[in-house]
Amino acid sequence: MYDITLYSTDCPQCVVLKKKMNARGLAFKENNDIKTMQDMGITYVPVLQVNDTLMDFAAACRWVDAEEADQNEH
């Protein structure tokens, strides 16, 4: 079970990542609070947090794609 948070400002890449996650049926929270992001040291979006790991857009896309592959194997 993952604790997933998408830090987003609804930029084009944020929208793409959100659509990919929804298409794979991944449950996630979305945080659009810029102050929270600044306090965490986030200087760009989207950032995907899975448990305690923060990922940029490219890493997050790879993770989502791998999750889809893992789900299809079961």
Side-chain angles (χ1 to χ4, degrees):
M1 178 86 169
Y2 296 112
D3 181 20
I4 304 171
T5 302
L6 173 63
Y7 293 94
S8 164
T9 60
D10 288 323
C11 71
Q13 286 185 331
C14 296
V15 171
V16 167
L17 186 54
K18 194 181 323 183
K19 285 181 182 178
K20 285 176 71 85
M21 292 172 51
N22 283 328
R24 271 100 174 143
L26 294 169
F28 64 95
K29 299 173 286 227
E30 185 172 353
N31 187 319
N32 303 106
D33 183 16
I34 292 172
K35 174 79 170 107
T36 299
M37 290 183 236
Q38 289 173 334
D39 290 347
M40 293 176 64
I42 294 172
T43 58
Y44 56 87
V45 290
V47 169
L48 186 65
Q49 182 175 9
V50 179
N51 299 331
D52 294 327
T53 302
L54 297 176
M55 293 176 251
D56 66 8
F57 178 71
C61 286
R62 287 191 300 272
W63 183 84
V64 170
D65 291 343
E67 282 305 301
E68 178 188 33
D70 288 346
Q71 289 177 7
N72 288 339
E73 290 175 7
H74 299 288

